[in-house]
Amino acid sequence: MNEKRQKVEVATRELVLSNDQLERVSALLLQEFNEGLKRETNPIASVKMFPTFVRDVPNGTEAGKFLALDLGGTNFRVLLIELEGADFKMDNQIFSVPQHVMLGSGEQLFDHIADCLADFMHKRGLKDVKLPLGFTFSFPCRQEGLTRARLVQWTKGFACKGVEGHDVVELLRASIRKRQDVEIDVMAVVNDTTGTLMSCAHKNSECRVGVIVGTGTNACYMEEADNAELFEEDEFAHEPRQVIVNTEWGAFGDNGVLDFVRTDWDDEVNTYSLNKGRQLFEKMISGMYMGEMVRSIVADLTRKALLLDGKGSEKLFTPHCFQSAYVSWIESDAKGELAQTRKAMAEMDLSHADDDDLFSIQMICERISTRAAHLVSAAVATVLNKMRREKTVVGVDGSVYRYHPHFHDLMAKKIAELTRPEYRFELMLSEDGSGRGAALVAAVAVRQIRELRAKGLID
Ligand code: GLC
């Protein structure tokens, strides 16, 4: 490595986290988990550990047609799923959510969702049937029942007015009612992590954890009902007493405990974000912030004349102009090659970058995505060490995990280093997890109601 590249290496060394640092991250996260779980400390906890009302994974006897809605990333999806035990058929359509809707009023957002749903149902001749529906709503919600979820705060790219503090199922029903052309029966509202866990559990009954590394990052896991002090028993109470807990680990660090690993660049990313001061762990990891993180570093080192001969471009100095997809392009260049990196820099109007600059930018991207993978790994290891199971399948989904060329391998290796050797694990890619999982939760609820009716326990 020549002197020029060496300087960039030294300037970005704080992005490389040692196992000691990651173990400290994990120990802190465990403390935060415990604070979130306890009734007394939950109100002041950063990591909220919301109990869901999902207590059962599918048992293979679920059957029928189900609708699912999936809102949470950059797109919105409607799905129609036909279940027959372990088999399923799926049809789905993606709709975009325009930025003015993501930042508009709640009514606009739910009217848009209802429009898309009606369009989907009309096209498939489902106008006059009332199907059970599962709603994946991937934001921090306080669940008050399987079909009641109060949004606590928007995260990621959404900031619609008049939704925080309200039950999102009620808002959805109101928008559908207004149209009067379709009918639905909302059976469940779930987070995407729960959807992922359920859809993996449908294929592998050892799955007990669901992780997302996409636009945002989060995880849920099966907890003993006694440990989840906010959990209140419902009519489906039965043994084993367990419940899925949605950790909302994206908010880890919002109380300052992660400052020992955060950098000035993390501060800058936070400053230009929609939800300043919140979701600090998420901002070090997820796809929504990865490009912006690289941009902050390259811009900073350019200002210090360590890169690009001190000459940037307007795009380089404008927040949010570096797409996270460029990070994947850059890292898909094989060792010693620069084609994709050069292409990404041309998109940023930085064609004057010489080979040293390009290799340095590759190193920066690699350090950012490796740090992200290692931080998620520390968090997954925290869950596995807490669950103390001999063997756990971890369902994983999200664009970063799916499309980044090295993310899976980095995670598998680091989780193994940070988890006690007696607790073995396997990472399982969830196929269409978040949407299909919601339909599965709806299906389990329909089955349970049928069973309770058959026993004469409910009307
Ligand atoms: C954000 C949301 C969380 C979701 C995650 C992944 O962290 O707050 O609910 O699970 O993104 O989509």
Side-chain angles (χ1 to χ4, degrees), residues 142-307:
R142 201 171 286 285
Q143 295 258 170
E144 294 169 357
L146 197 53
T147 56
R148 280 199 306 277
R150 213 170 274 284
L151 174 66
V152 176
Q153 268 170 339
W154 285 113
T155 52
K156 300 177 280 192
F158 284 75
C160 303
K161 284 162 232 50
V163 186
E164 289 180 351
H166 293 272
D167 174 4
V168 296
V169 175
E170 261 316 305
L171 298 175
L172 172 67
R173 284 193 182 122
S175 287
I176 291 175
R177 220 178 293 130
K178 252 191 324 199
R179 312 177 48 92
Q180 296 192 331
D181 60 344
V182 287
E183 275 196 286
I184 50 154
D185 198 1
V186 182
M187 295 302 297
V189 54
V190 299
N191 186 262
D192 51 356
T193 54
T194 306
T196 297
L197 191 162
M198 290 298 273
S199 101
C200 287
H202 189 228
K203 292 202 177 141
N204 185 328
S205 58
E206 288 305 307
C207 183
R208 292 290 183 283
V209 184
V211 174
I212 300 282
V213 197
T215 308
T217 182
N218 187 18
C220 71
Y221 70 104
M222 269 288 180
E223 176 61 281
E224 313 282 324
D226 287 341
N227 292 342
E229 292 185 3
L230 296 186
F231 177 65
E232 279 160 26
E233 213 71 66
D234 59 7
E235 66 267 37
F236 302 126
H238 61 79
E239 299 296 326
R241 298 192 64 253
Q242 54 181 17
V243 61
I244 294 180
V245 169
N246 168 17
T247 65
E248 287 292 331
W249 73 24
F252 179 29
D254 291 6
N255 55 0
V257 295
L258 282 180
D259 290 356
F260 75 104
V261 281
R262 293 183 68 247
T263 64
D264 289 347
W265 305 304
D266 291 297
D267 278 341
E268 191 177 335
V269 170
N270 178 39
T271 301
Y272 293 120
S273 66
L274 206 56
N275 50 356
K276 197 172 161 196
R278 295 199 286 110
Q279 300 292 103
L280 297 188
F281 189 56
E282 177 159 277
K283 286 174 186 165
M284 298 177 85
I285 295 167
S286 72
M288 176 146 182
Y289 309 98
M290 218 177 246
E292 178 62 1
M293 187 72 204
V294 174
R295 189 199 64 79
S296 304
I297 299 174
V298 175
D300 180 36
L301 299 187
T302 303
R303 277 189 215 101
K304 293 176 176 152
L306 293 177
L307 274 177

Side-chain angles (χ1 to χ4, degrees), residues 24-175:
R24 187 159 162 220
V25 167
S26 176
L28 286 164
L29 182 58
L30 180 63
Q31 274 177 26
E32 302 287 318
F33 279 174
N34 289 331
E35 273 200 7
L37 285 170
K38 297 225 156 39
R39 186 176 286 281
E40 212 186 319
T41 42
N42 178 275
I44 53 153
S46 323
V47 180
K48 285 297 183 195
M49 309 297 273
F50 294 117
T52 66
F53 281 75
V54 183
R55 319 220 12 216
D56 253 340
V57 292
N59 71 1
T61 65
E62 294 79 10
K65 271 191 185 171
F66 301 86
L67 283 168
L69 303 180
D70 184 1
L71 180 77
T74 29
N75 290 317
F76 166 66
R77 280 198 318 159
V78 184
L79 304 91
L80 175 68
I81 291 151
E82 222 178 313
L83 278 179
E84 185 57 69
D87 289 334
F88 69 93
K89 280 196 232 123
M90 199 170 89
D91 178 11
N92 76 98
Q93 193 175 339
I94 295 180
F95 298 88
S96 66
V97 183
Q99 183 121 24
H100 73 268
V101 174
M102 287 165 93
L103 304 175
S105 73
E107 192 173 353
Q108 258 177 315
L109 172 69
F110 285 95
D111 285 354
H112 177 65
I113 294 177
D115 278 349
C116 300
L117 173 65
D119 176 68
F120 181 92
M121 290 176 76
H122 283 247
K123 279 195 193 131
R124 283 153 186 86
L126 297 171
K127 209 166 91 60
D128 299 312
V129 275
K130 188 173 180 184
L131 289 178
L133 177 143
F135 182 18
T136 304
F137 183 77
S138 308
F139 300 94
C141 288
R142 201 171 286 285
Q143 295 258 170
E144 294 169 357
L146 197 53
T147 56
R148 280 199 306 277
R150 213 170 274 284
L151 174 66
V152 176
Q153 268 170 339
W154 285 113
T155 52
K156 300 177 280 192
F158 284 75
C160 303
K161 284 162 232 50
V163 186
E164 289 180 351
H166 293 272
D167 174 4
V168 296
V169 175
E170 261 316 305
L171 298 175
L172 172 67
R173 284 193 182 122
S175 287

